[in-house]
Amino acid sequence: MLKLQNYINGQLVPPAAGRYLDNIEPATGQVYSLLPDSNTQDVAAAVAAAEAALPAWRALPAEERGRLLVRISELIERELEPLAQAESKDNGKPVSLARTVDIPRAASNFAFFGTAAQHFASETHFQEGVALNYTVRHPLGVVGCISPWNLPLYLFTWKIAPALAVGCCVVAKPSEITPHTAFLLSELCIEAGLPAGVLNIVHGAGPGTGQAIIEHPAIKAISFTGGTKTGEHIARTAAPMFKKLSLELGGKNPNLIFADCDLTEAVNISIRSSFANQGQICLCGSRIFIERSIYEPFKAAFLERVAGLTVGDPLEAGSRQGALVSEAHLLKVLSYIELAHEEGGTLLAGGKRVHLEGRCANGFFLEPTVFEGLTPECRVNKEEIFGPVVTLTPFDTEEEAITWANGTDYGLAATIWTRDLNRAHRVAHALHSGIVWINTWLHRDLRTPFGGMKNSGVGREGGLEALRFFTEPQSITLKLG
Ligand code: NDP
């Protein structure tokens, strides 16, 4: 059986204690590889390697660092198919999604930040005849990057690339549930000639390996994407050590569908925003509020499209819905379906585990599920489910829709469907969401700030925000004359 290895000081190495964890394929429920169960000793070795590599890496011109990152991007593009297959197998997502979204985006992350760092400028404030003030942005040093399982290589590289681009060295941990593409990335970094110790990838579980990273005194910042509870724990641990923190956390995103929208487009994209990656994207819209006059036509068209979503082996081309990432997660999502019944919801579609034949007989599959008749205040409409479960709710006024949309502890993303420009902007400004899409969903430009309000996070990633996060501004004043 394949044994993944840590990537420390430029080499693939086994975990210090020799312990491994099982890696399960969600579509089959079978263990198919082993990953290091790294401990504080492994993390300490990774930090030591990063500290040793730091002086030379930060001294390298941004253009040369960028060239290496672009080289990694090219290697990811070259390996698109094997990486997509690996991501699909590890996570349960349809291979078509990995091929068109996850892996191309991982390549873009390296290309984007590799070049962005060359255009990164700091401010100068000139006081005529008195003083010249300027800001230098120094790389923070050694930083920690911790990512979740839903978009494994996509989110892992979204953190690592900007950190490396500005001259930081990185100790990174992918989710123990989806470690495979991070391991393949280590091999590509070696091939690209990334200097030893600049990037270190340490595999293992959150409470062991992750905890050792967030507690390590030499790690100056933590860039974390994951659940809100874990984010809270990380903040409690790292904040007293004065580590810089970027936390991208959970969401409970609303879709607001107004009567004047392009109904066909609103239905088509809402299907994607509800069920892409089996609903396991932090940006998925799980609460769909529809203006009453088009509630029934929207519902009919939406349910017709849901019926066409084939649940099947993620490695097969025709599968639109793959497996959920783990049995534990499947059981969590099923418990929310149970709760939706208890809270008085009417099941319109799905609601049950799917048992496939053959290779996938023991996989973690679930029907795409739709409820109506739930109040906006019930738990199903307030708590993050993070699966293929959405609710439909009619609204009567714009104010009502905004109040309900804002009525959770989260504030990550929202989608508005309307042809009325004034309303689109008015509603967007009133929503407590870090990201608002008007007549689209998951349209990403890597230059824009990405992140959530309220319990959806602290700080922003993307573009200049990420480059600023991984640097420490120093203000220097020269008195003139
Ligand atoms: P978790 O919070 O469970 O885990 C995220 C990462 O943190 C994993 O690598 C995990 O390790 C690690 N971790 C767990 N405990 C600790 C600890 N004590 N110290 C350090 N690291 C730790 O999230 P999931 O992996 O379950 O991901 C799903 C969540 O991520 C959802 O809530 C989703 O909304 C959110 N998310 C947010 C996004 C955003 O941009 N806002 C984007 C994507 C997802 P391990 O799992 O290996 O044990």
Side-chain angles (χ1 to χ4, degrees):
M1 185 168 303
L2 175 66
K3 268 188 180 170
L4 307 187
Q5 305 214 294
N6 288 331
Y7 171 50
I8 297 176
N9 204 21
Q11 301 203 319
L12 297 175
V13 291
R19 282 201 305 269
Y20 288 83
L21 299 165
D22 289 343
N23 187 24
I24 294 169
E25 180 180 0
T28 63
Q30 306 299 314
V31 177
Y32 82 102
S33 72
L34 300 173
L35 68 139
D37 183 10
S38 307
N39 60 19
T40 48
Q41 217 180 322
D42 300 292
V43 171
V47 174
E51 284 186 302
L54 186 64
W57 181 247
R58 65 184 290 165
L60 217 56
E63 194 179 348
E64 284 183 40
R65 287 197 300 266
R67 211 174 279 138
L68 278 161
L69 299 192
V70 170
R71 177 77 188 123
I72 296 170
S73 164
E74 289 164 354
L75 293 177
I76 293 174
E77 279 174 355
R78 189 194 71 192
E79 295 299 308
L80 175 82
E81 193 51 33
L83 284 166
Q85 297 278 342
E87 201 72 297
S88 170
K89 192 168 172 136
D90 220 18
N91 170 276
K93 66 179 67 207
V95 68
S96 54
L97 187 70
R99 198 181 279 134
T100 52
V101 176
D102 293 74
I103 308 306
R105 175 56 195 278
S108 298
N109 288 340
F110 276 108
F112 175 82
F113 285 111
T115 48
Q118 297 169 46
H119 305 281
F120 187 37
S122 59
E123 312 86 56
T124 303
H125 300 98
F126 185 56
Q127 293 172 298
E128 192 73 44
V130 182
L132 169 66
N133 309 282
Y134 65 96
T135 306
V136 184
R137 288 199 161 264
H138 300 287
L140 281 178
V142 178
V143 298
C145 297
I146 300 177
S147 59
W149 47 257
N150 63 330
L151 301 166
L153 194 64
Y154 174 136
L155 290 174
F156 196 56
T157 54
W158 177 235
K159 298 180 171 305
I160 290 169
L164 296 179
V166 297
C168 290
C169 290
V170 175
V171 176
K173 188 192 95 61
S175 169
E176 73 174 275
I177 301 170
T178 52
H180 200 129
T181 48
F183 169 70
L184 297 176
L185 176 69
S186 351
E187 295 182 326
L188 297 181
C189 289
I190 294 170
E191 184 181 343
L194 192 69
V198 164
L199 170 63
N200 303 275
I201 299 176
V202 191
H203 294 272
T209 317
Q211 188 69 23
I213 293 174
I214 62 174
E215 283 177 352
H216 199 294
I219 291 185
K220 303 292 179 213
I222 303 290
S223 175
F224 169 80
T225 299
T228 295
K229 270 210 156 52
T230 316
E232 189 185 322
H233 170 77
I234 289 177
R236 213 178 295 120
T237 309
M241 300 172 81
F242 304 107
K243 291 178 196 285
K244 213 170 166 184
L245 285 175
S246 169
L247 304 173
E248 298 297 336
L249 310 175
K252 187 72 183 175
N253 309 311
N255 292 12
L256 275 54
I257 321 270
F258 288 94
D260 66 347
C261 71
D262 176 337
L263 189 61
T264 308
E265 188 73 353
V267 169
N268 288 344
I269 306 288
S270 296
I271 287 287
R272 274 184 55 221
S273 73
S274 301
F275 301 116
N277 207 35
Q278 297 73 247
Q280 303 165 126
I281 301 182
C282 54
L283 305 165
C284 277
S286 53
R287 298 179 294 145
I288 308 183
F289 298 112
I290 306 136
E291 197 163 359
R292 195 175 297 277
S293 61
I294 58 157
Y295 184 78
E296 290 302 330
F298 180 93
K299 180 171 111 182
F302 189 78
L303 292 176
E304 194 186 321
R305 293 293 311 277
V306 172
L309 294 173
T310 322
V311 180
D313 186 339
L315 295 177
E316 278 176 14
S319 301
R320 293 289 309 281
Q321 293 280 287
L324 269 66
V325 77
S326 67
E327 187 162 34
H329 190 59
L330 171 69
L331 295 176
K332 178 192 150 187
V333 177
L334 282 168
S335 77
Y336 273 101
I337 291 175
E338 193 59 41
L339 180 65
H341 287 295
E342 284 165 21
E343 290 188 319
T346 304
L347 183 69
L348 299 175
K352 293 192 300 296
R353 186 171 180 169
V354 177
H355 295 281
L356 299 174
E357 307 270 293
R359 178 185 111 81
C360 295
N362 296 316
F364 313 132
F365 296 89
L366 182 64
E367 293 172 333
T369 298
V370 186
F371 278 95
E372 69 173 355
L374 287 157
T375 66
E377 292 79 24
C378 72
R379 279 183 56 203
V380 167
N381 271 328
K382 291 238 178 199
E383 297 175 16
E384 185 184 44
I385 300 174
F386 214 57
V389 180
V390 297
T391 63
L392 308 184
T393 310
F395 68 84
D396 290 303
T397 65
E398 184 179 308
E399 292 68 32
E400 188 174 54
I402 293 170
T403 304
W404 290 348
N406 287 339
T408 73
D409 292 336
Y410 295 105
L412 186 55
T415 305
I416 302 168
W417 289 91
T418 179
R419 284 191 172 102
D420 178 340
L421 258 185
N422 286 325
R423 172 162 49 209
H425 291 287
R426 186 172 63 235
V427 174
H429 293 196
L431 291 175
H432 304 157
S433 293
I435 300 153
V436 178
W437 283 294
I438 300 169
N439 297 334
T440 184
W441 177 72
L442 202 52
H443 182 99
R444 291 285 296 125
D445 177 330
L446 303 193
R447 294 169 298 181
T448 58
F450 179 91
M453 297 181 182
K454 301 194 280 187
N455 293 6
S456 288
V458 178
R460 293 292 181 272
E461 298 186 320
L464 292 176
E465 301 283 344
L467 300 177
R468 290 195 184 114
F469 175 75
F470 288 113
T471 53
E472 181 99 84
Q474 180 184 40
S475 175
I476 298 177
T477 299
L478 169 72
K479 189 172 182 298
L480 297 177

